[in-house]
Structure formats: C-alpha cells, structure tokens
Amino acid sequence: MTNHELPKSPFPLLPLRNGVLFPGTVITVPVGRARSIALIEALEPGKSIIGIAVQRDARVVDPELSDLQSIGTYARVRQVRRTGDRNYQVVLEGLGRFQLGTLLHSQAYWTVEGEVLPDLVNDPAEARLLAESLGAQVREQLHEVAPDVVASFGQWIEMLGRADDPGLLADRVAAALGLDTEKEVQVLLTREAGERLRLVTRLLVEARTMAELRKKIESEVRKGLSSGQREVLLRQQLRAIQKELGEEPKSDDLAGLRERLDRAELPAEVRAVADRELRRIEGMQSAQAEYNVIRTYLEWIADLPWSVRAEDEIDLDAVAQKLDADHFGLDEVKKRILEHMAVLKVSGNSRATILCLAGPPGVGKTSLGQSIADATGRPFVRIALGGVRDEAEVRGHRRTYVGALPGRIISAMKKAGKKNAVVLLDEIDKLGTGWMGSPEAALLEVLDPEQNKTFTDHYMELPFDLSEVTFIVTANSLETLSAPLRDRLEIIEISGYTAEEKLHIAKDHLLPKQLSAHAISEGTLNVSDDALRAIIRDYTREAGVRQLTRELTKLCRALTLEFARSSDEKRARANLEPADLHKYLGKVRFISEVAERTAVPGVATGLAWTPVGGDILFIETSRMPGKGHLEITGQLGDVMKESARAALTYVRSNADALGVDASFLATQDLHIHVPAGAVPKDGPSAGVTIFTALTSLLTGRRVRPDTAMTGECTLRGRVLPVGGIKSKVLAAHRAGLSRVILPQRNARDIDDVPADVRDQMEFIFAEDMAQVLAAALEPSLLAHKPKSDMDPDDDNPGAKGSGETPRAQA
C-alpha cells in the first residue's frame, strides 16, 4: 500500500447496516440514506478514500459513534452507479483497518477522525504456518464447502500457497465463506494475524461440518423417498435434523385437533363430515393451500357448542330481583320474561323465545339482554346489525371463497360456548339491502322456532341447532321490517319513561354510577329531587334517559373541576337545588311554548309518533286577502295534505253550524303550516288537529293552551282511532299539557299509560268533530279578528322549534 492511499484524517465515513468490508476485498453497497447520498455525490470515483464502519444495530437511521463498531475499514471508491431517483450503488475496495476516533457533524455527511491500524504479527513463523494450513484446507474443501463461491476464489487461489501476507489471507477467506455479520465483525476486530488465522480456520471447519451434515440429511431423505414412503420433503428434513440433534420427533400436529373433535360430542352427521375431512388433510402436504382451509374448517367444528349447555337453576324470584335491580319500570317486558322462565322450569321445554323490544333509544333495550343472561346464568352475546347489507354477514361465505368464514350467528355461538346462550340482535331495523342480498331475509330462518333447529351456515354446510338460544331483538321502528320477519317476532313496545320513572332511575342508577366514575366520594354531593326534576324538565326532552345521563355526566364533571381546585379544608358538602343548575349546566334548553303558540286563533297542538318516542306537533293556520288558494307547507306527506283538504271541505260544509261565512274563500287565501319544515311529516292522525286549527282560525275561537289532540278524521267529521297512544300521551305529559283529546275507540289504550300519568291528565274521548271542537275551543268568541290572522309579521310559524325528531308520524 503506497503512502497516497492512506486517508487524511478526518475523512468521510459511510456506515453500513449489514455486512463487512474486509481489506483486500471488493464489495458493492446500496446507498439510500440522505446523508450517505450526500457523501456519494461529493466523491470522485477512483481517487476518493473513505471510511467504512459497521452499525451495531441495523435499525438506527442516524448513528452516533456509540452505534458503530470501534474498528472499521478505509476503502477506495472504485465506481458509483445510479439505480434510481435518489439511490446509488457504490463499488468499494477495502485497503486496511482504522480505529474510529471522533465522529464529526460539520458536513452534510458523516466524517470521522481515525487512526490507521496496521496488522499485528506477534510470531511471524507461526503465522506463516497457520496461513499455509488454512490455504491447504481451502484447496481441499473448496468444492465441498461452498461450490457457489469458486469464482470468488479463482483470481487469488494461486496466492494461497505463498501465504506472504497471513492477515490478508485470513480476511479474504472470511469474506468468501459468506458468514453472518456477527462472525464477520468478530474477524474484523481481530488485529493480530495469528489469532485471526485461528479464528478463520475454526469458522472454515464449522462450515465443512455443516456441509457434511447437510449431505447426510439429504441422503436420508432420498433413501426414504426411494423406498416408497413418499412423505413431504420438508417433514423428512425436519425429522432428520431432530435425529442428528438427539431429539425425539414431534408427534403429529393433527393429533391435538383429533382429540378436540373427540371431546366435542359431535352429532353423527357432523362426526362423519369431520372424519372425512381429517382423512383428506392427513394425506396432504402442509404447504398446500387447501391444507389450511380444511384445518380451519375442522377447528370451527371443534369449537362450536354442539351439545354443551349452561347449567342454569331457574329461580323465578332471583330472576325477578335481578331484572328489578337493573331496570326500573318495563313491567310488561319483565312479566313476559318471567312467563318464559316459568314455562321452561315447569315443562322443561327448551324452545327459544324470540322477543322484539321496540321503542325509542335510551330506554334500556340493549342492556336488558345482559340482565336476562345474568339472571338465568347463561352466556350473553350481542350482535350489532346496524349497517349490515350483505347476506353473507348472517349466513357466512362458502368455503370456495378465499378467506371465507362463518356468519355472525355461528361466530356468536362459538364466542358463547353454550348452545342455550342469550343472543341479542341489536338494531334490527337498521339492516340494509345491497347487491349482495338481503340480510333481513337471511334472518327469517334464524328467528323461526320451527326452522332454526337445523340452521345451516354457508361456510359450515352442517345443521346447527339454534332452538335453545334465547333471541332478543331490539328496534327503534318496526315500519322498516318486512311482514314475514315481523310475523316471527313477539313484539313488546316500550314507549318511554315518565318524569317520575326518570327521577327514580336518576337517583338509583345513573347518578351513583356517575359519582363513582368521577371519583366523587359518597356524601360529598347531594342532588335534591327538585333539582333532578328540573334537569328532566328543562334540559332533556326524550323518551329514554340517554340525554339525562349526559347531563348528569356534565354536572359531575363540572363539580369534579370545582372540587379539584379547592383545598381539602375548603371543600364542603355540595347541595344542589334547581337554582344552582344554570351554573353547571348552562341555560335552560327547553321551555314550554304551548301557551305562547296557542295564544291566538288558528294554532292547535297535536301529538305525533316518531322512532325516538312521542312528541307534540303544532298546526298553524293563517288567512290573507286572496281568491281561495290553499297553501300547505312544512314538508308534509300526501296523507297530511289530504287531511288538510278534507278539513277545509268539512269547515265549508258545516259553515252555518260553526258560525263561519261560507263564502270566505271568495276573498281570502288560507295557509296551513307545520313548523320544523326540514323534518318530513306524514300520517293520518293529524286530521283532528288540522280540523281544529282551521275552525279556530275561521271562527276566531282560540284552542285551549292545556289541550293536545290526536286522531284521524273523515270528510263527514267522524273521528277514527290511531296508534301510538301511550307514546303520544307521555309526550303531552312531558310538554306540560293536562288535557288530551282522543278517539273514542282508543279508550282501551289508556290502560297502557302509567297510573301516575293517568292521574295527572284529563282524557276526552270523541266520536265526531263536534265533540272535539266543543272540548278544544274556548267557548267565548273574540269581538274582533286578531291582528295576527291578517298580519304575517305577528303570525310567525316555525319561529321556535317544536322539538320534533326525524320522520314524525302524526
């Protein structure tokens, strides 16, 4: 090595993630890091000398001195090739070793201060003998050790016998052996030539031993194949390796699967299929794609509860206590569940009951399923059906598809582990229909007690007994369900909670839970009953208790902040009264506007049903100079528009009896409006309300502000029954109304209304519109027409939202 080849310190440094460059060898290195690219672009191929260092951890992107091996190789850059937009390949020739000193960051690339390290030869004679021995071994074993590297030795194999540079010989042999990085670094760090030769000789012997062992294994494999015992090649190699290591060959990995199938107590038909698939898989190679498909199928068979049941001792009193402890009210649901449990206990008939809990959000439909499972000692699984549009989500995919799996029903049974589990099908009314089929239609077999005994999933293609499963279905609206599906369900409607029921739920369930969640110790906070009633009345307007839960959470969060800012000495017991709520919950959200709306003639308060519970619905009418045109606004459906036209006809045909000028349409236009115009509204039960509003407008008699009404009306004034009476009466009660006008034929539905609400409300049952008008309109006629009838500035329909929720059904 000439003097001009020695690097001038400091010199550029190129860290390598993997591999070692030995002196006297040439390698090609890919370059992709930003700082390394900056170095390569600054080099002059053929003349530049740089340092090469090996990283201790290949994952380090920007190494420091501690991340590099202490000894590196300085090398000449022979060639630089561009392989991409910002990628290079560099051909490096190793020249010698150097000791890493200080790593500098003054350039865009790494630079290092280093000291050249010449080879140490403690005993030249011994080193020459070791070099001659290593050269002889390489010549003898070259083709046996690594036939693929003969070309690498071809250029310098003649020099092996001379051994005039023992250290260089050791480096070149180590580079040609194809060692892993750890062993190559060990050779690089060994400076003394004799010690390095001994290390490389030992590594060469290890390579020769591995080659002989590999030949022996291959010989045994070929012998096994030639004897007719054609096994999988990889399995033969594995057994041969285990034999050489003195280990016993592992047992067949299918034995454990066979044992699981034996313990599963499979029905005869299922057992026959499982045995057939086991025979198929035993003759396959594990590398085949179908091997894993069959194995996964067999594992599903082994994991399903074909005959495993939960042992439940039915104690009706304990079930009733559990249901009462978890849920306040819901008496009809609890009664139906207890009836089913009683039949199961007395008769032993395990046929499942399919209950459908239909009602607004937040009334406890979903959590009721968990309570039933806890009360009966059965596992509980919830299946969310909202947004499911694919039939395969229910019945699974056939095994011919890549990545096929069973549907949600079979997956739920695997998760439950018992065939008499409680399965909750949540939000069944939110199912969709896509091009992949209708999941609702797939549920017809699942939810039919006469058919689900042999439910067949597309993936399993085996009948699975679902007859012992207790299915509970929840829905907000039944209108979207098909008639066949509704026919399979035992529907129990949950209309919502009264204010007193919400008070009990808040005191006994919601508030204690929130106090615990916000680390408010017992006795620190006392919320009076009046304050809870104020929260229910002024900050929530819902059928359930979900918004009430959010308001209580907001209250506890604000109090937690207040307590956290105060010292223990200043912290006092908090007693919340209604006057304190604005401090923590803000302004009142709901104000009763019935009296304000009905203060002028032409406005009536109706009752509507929505998927989230009952609600009040204002019908506003107005008249103005014109030629008898009828304007209807508020995004009404065809049924409500027809009710408006029928009401106008009724008023005109009974003008004399009502005290209305029959020729009013000759000089006036009429406008009927239902506020919250962005919300679609339809249904026949607004007919009575529209009739009353029009009569109020044209007679000048105001509608009583404490009265709401519902019912369908014919052209001749007959009042017909409607549905959703309980939900509508509860909505009127929440709005602060005390009188409700109902169709006579709906009188029997009043029994469904909670007793405390019935005691506070007055019900008027009517068979024709004359009775409705007598009960709804104030008896005194106004001396003059109110200005609001003619002045649109004062008649401001829709100025305040009436709180309707989407898809109101009058």
Side-chain angles (χ1 to χ4, degrees):
M1 184 181 302
T2 59
N3 291 334
H4 71 273
E5 292 177 331
L6 297 177
K8 298 179 180 180
S9 183
F11 48 87
L13 179 69
L14 179 65
L16 298 184
R17 296 179 186 268
N18 295 292
V20 174
L21 172 61
F22 288 100
T25 63
V26 178
I27 64 171
T28 301
V29 177
V31 177
R33 284 185 281 195
R35 298 185 71 176
S36 299
I37 291 174
L39 168 60
I40 296 305
E41 291 177 345
L43 294 178
E44 185 178 353
K47 298 181 179 180
S48 300
I49 304 295
I50 65 173
I52 306 298
V54 183
Q55 293 184 197
R56 300 179 188 271
D57 186 353
R59 295 171 296 181
V60 178
V61 177
D62 192 4
E64 297 294 335
L65 186 62
S66 59
D67 299 319
L68 303 174
Q69 299 291 345
S70 59
I71 295 179
T73 307
Y74 58 93
R76 178 188 293 111
V77 179
R78 280 190 175 185
Q79 186 180 3
V80 175
R81 295 194 294 264
R82 195 183 192 96
T83 60
D85 186 23
R86 292 288 292 170
N87 291 285
Y88 295 88
Q89 281 188 349
V90 184
V91 180
L92 301 172
E93 178 188 1
L95 302 178
R97 288 172 173 79
F98 74 94
Q99 180 74 45
L100 274 73
T102 303
L103 193 64
L104 305 178
H105 299 277
S106 58
Q107 303 289 338
Y109 45 82
W110 292 281
T111 56
V112 65
E113 293 181 348
E115 178 185 355
V116 175
L117 299 176
D119 279 352
L120 298 178
V121 183
N122 295 336
D123 189 342
E126 180 187 23
R128 186 174 184 82
L129 291 175
L130 289 171
E132 291 176 354
S133 174
L134 177 60
Q137 292 188 48
V138 169
R139 285 193 299 270
E140 293 175 2
Q141 305 296 335
L142 180 60
H143 293 279
E144 298 180 7
V145 174
D148 55 333
V149 298
V150 173
S152 300
F153 284 88
Q155 298 177 357
W156 54 273
I157 195 170
E158 294 82 3
M159 67 163 286
L160 294 178
R162 301 195 304 270
D164 52 356
D165 191 341
L168 183 60
L169 174 64
D171 289 337
R172 289 183 171 178
V173 173
L177 286 178
L179 305 172
D180 56 43
T181 303
E182 183 180 352
K183 292 180 179 179
E184 287 185 336
V185 169
Q186 188 178 358
V187 175
L188 180 67
L189 298 180
T190 305
R191 289 185 57 193
E192 205 279 320
E195 184 179 352
R196 193 188 312 158
L197 286 166
R198 290 189 182 91
L199 174 59
V200 174
T201 301
R202 179 170 59 82
L203 294 175
L204 179 63
V205 172
E206 290 179 0
R208 184 174 66 249
T209 303
M210 290 299 297
E212 293 174 353
L213 182 59
R214 189 180 300 110
K215 287 180 61 178
K216 185 176 181 181
I217 293 173
E218 291 176 353
S219 175
E220 293 185 7
V221 172
R222 284 194 298 270
K223 186 184 299 182
L225 292 174
S226 62
S227 64
Q229 304 293 331
R230 302 190 61 86
E231 298 289 342
V232 181
L233 180 61
L234 293 176
R235 188 177 299 279
Q236 288 279 7
Q237 291 180 340
L238 177 61
R239 291 175 180 174
I241 292 173
Q242 290 173 342
K243 184 177 179 180
E244 290 296 327
L245 294 176
E247 298 179 357
E248 291 294 328
K250 295 182 179 179
S251 60
D252 189 0
D253 58 353
L254 296 178
L257 181 57
R258 184 183 293 276
E259 292 177 3
R260 290 168 57 192
L261 292 171
D262 293 338
R263 294 194 302 265
E265 300 180 15
L266 305 177
E269 179 181 356
V270 179
R271 183 73 219 196
V273 174
D275 290 340
R276 183 192 67 201
E277 296 298 324
L278 272 174
R279 289 192 296 270
R280 288 183 60 197
I281 196 174
E282 286 173 349
M284 288 184 177
Q285 300 179 8
S286 60
Q288 289 182 252
E290 194 174 359
Y291 180 92
N292 287 325
V293 173
I294 298 176
R295 182 179 180 86
T296 303
Y297 178 69
L298 291 173
E299 288 176 347
W300 272 97
I301 293 179
D303 291 338
L304 287 176
W306 299 95
S307 57
V308 182
R309 296 173 178 83
E311 297 296 334
D312 53 342
E313 184 65 28
I314 300 177
D315 185 345
L316 296 179
D317 293 334
V319 173
Q321 292 175 3
K322 178 63 177 176
L323 294 177
D324 289 336
D326 291 347
H327 295 81
F328 188 86
L330 306 179
D331 296 332
E332 181 63 26
V333 182
K334 296 175 183 177
K335 177 184 176 183
R336 182 63 191 89
I337 293 169
L338 288 175
E339 289 173 354
H340 168 67
M341 293 293 112
V343 173
L344 184 60
K345 179 177 182 179
V346 174
S347 66
N349 185 5
S350 59
R351 173 169 290 184
T353 297
I354 301 175
L355 300 178
C356 177
L357 307 181
V363 295
K365 301 187 300 297
T366 302
S367 60
L368 192 63
Q370 182 67 62
S371 298
I372 295 174
D374 294 341
T376 56
R378 300 181 180 185
F380 172 74
V381 182
R382 172 180 171 269
I383 302 177
L385 297 178
V388 174
R389 298 181 298 171
D390 189 351
E391 175 260 354
E393 290 280 345
V394 178
R395 301 186 69 102
H397 294 85
R398 300 192 182 277
R399 281 191 291 155
T400 53
Y401 293 99
V402 176
L405 285 175
R408 298 195 181 194
I409 302 298
I410 292 297
S411 298
M413 298 310 300
K414 176 185 175 182
K415 181 179 179 181
K418 301 291 187 294
K419 67 180 304 182
N420 58 344
V422 177
V423 176
L424 179 74
L425 301 178
D426 208 9
E427 306 288 357
I428 195 172
D429 57 325
K430 307 302 189 303
L431 284 171
T433 301
W435 63 276
M436 294 295 289
S438 171
E440 183 180 285
L443 286 174
L444 295 179
E445 181 184 2
V446 177
L447 299 178
D448 191 339
E450 300 296 334
Q451 300 180 20
N452 61 12
K453 186 176 178 65
T454 57
F455 172 73
T456 303
D457 185 272
H458 290 324
Y459 178 85
M460 302 301 300
E461 287 295 336
L462 294 170
F464 188 86
D465 185 7
L466 297 175
S467 63
E468 298 182 35
V469 178
T470 300
F471 285 103
I472 300 175
V473 178
T474 70
N476 295 133
S477 173
L478 299 176
E479 292 186 352
T480 59
L481 301 185
S482 64
L485 183 58
R486 291 185 62 177
D487 183 62
R488 285 161 167 78
L489 305 177
E490 185 171 342
I491 298 172
I492 300 177
E493 293 190 4
I494 305 176
S495 300
Y497 298 111
T498 66
E500 287 302 313
E501 288 176 335
K502 290 182 181 180
L503 175 63
H504 287 286
I505 294 172
K507 288 176 59 178
D508 300 336
H509 298 277
L510 303 182
L511 188 57
K513 181 179 179 180
Q514 294 303 323
L515 293 177
S516 174
H518 291 81
I520 300 177
S521 59
E522 185 177 356
T524 304
L525 174 63
N526 177 40
V527 184
S528 67
D529 290 355
D530 291 339
L532 289 175
R533 288 190 180 94
I535 295 175
I536 295 169
R537 180 184 64 250
D538 299 335
Y539 292 90
T540 66
R541 185 167 290 179
E542 57 176 345
V545 293
R546 192 162 290 161
Q547 182 62 33
L548 178 58
T549 302
R550 283 192 280 264
E551 295 298 328
L552 292 177
T553 302
K554 182 178 179 181
L555 176 65
C556 293
R557 203 164 48 231
L559 287 168
T560 301
L561 175 62
E562 185 175 292
F563 292 158
R565 286 180 169 177
S566 62
S567 60
D568 293 337
E569 295 78 9
K570 295 182 179 180
R571 184 178 302 176
R573 177 185 176 91
N575 296 296
L576 291 186
E577 297 296 336
D580 303 322
L581 295 178
H582 73 280
K583 176 182 177 182
Y584 302 104
L585 300 181
K587 298 179 181 179
V588 172
R589 295 182 58 191
F590 298 101
I591 300 174
S592 179
E593 52 186 345
V594 177
E596 178 186 348
R597 290 267 187 139
T598 58
V600 296
V603 182
T605 305
L607 297 174
W609 177 91
T610 73
V612 294
D615 208 342
I616 60 174
L617 190 71
F618 291 104
I619 305 294
E620 299 181 344
T621 60
S622 182
R623 59 183 177 179
M624 63 214 78
K627 297 182 179 180
H629 176 68
L630 176 62
E631 180 73 20
I632 303 174
T633 57
Q635 198 168 337
L636 307 184
D638 292 338
V639 176
M640 289 189 72
K641 290 180 180 178
E642 292 172 357
S643 296
R645 296 188 183 95
L648 180 58
T649 301
Y650 173 81
V651 172
R652 294 180 64 187
S653 62
N654 294 273
D656 293 339
L658 297 175
V660 177
D661 182 6
S663 61
F664 66 89
L665 284 181
T667 58
Q668 296 177 353
D669 288 344
L670 295 180
H671 189 162
I672 300 176
H673 177 66
V674 183
V679 179
K681 313 170 193 70
D682 202 5
S685 62
V688 167
T689 313
I690 297 174
F691 273 55
T692 305
L694 270 176
T695 304
S696 172
L697 173 70
L698 297 174
T699 62
R701 299 170 63 185
R702 295 185 304 177
V703 178
R704 292 184 54 164
D706 59 350
T707 302
M709 61 200 73
T710 186
E712 185 178 359
C713 194
T714 68
L715 194 62
R716 299 189 179 275
R718 298 292 297 174
V719 178
L720 303 181
V722 293
I725 295 299
K726 180 181 178 182
S727 298
K728 294 176 180 179
V729 171
L730 291 178
H733 181 261
R734 285 197 299 269
L737 299 167
S738 59
R739 301 173 76 245
V740 178
I741 301 175
L742 301 172
Q744 178 66 46
R745 290 166 60 182
N746 283 122
R748 59 185 179 181
D749 298 323
I750 297 301
D751 294 338
D752 297 334
V753 179
D756 59 328
V757 176
R758 293 201 305 268
D759 295 340
Q760 302 174 38
M761 304 285 288
E762 177 186 355
F763 299 97
I764 299 95
F765 301 102
E767 292 184 341
D768 56 52
M769 278 305 301
Q771 296 173 328
V772 173
L773 297 177
L777 300 181
E778 294 182 348
S780 60
L781 293 173
L782 297 179
H784 60 277
K785 294 189 178 99
K787 180 183 177 183
S788 60
D789 288 348
M790 304 297 295
D791 186 356
D793 292 335
D794 290 341
D795 188 15
N796 186 20
K800 297 181 180 179
S802 58
E804 293 92 345
T805 50
R807 304 304 307 172
Q809 297 288 327

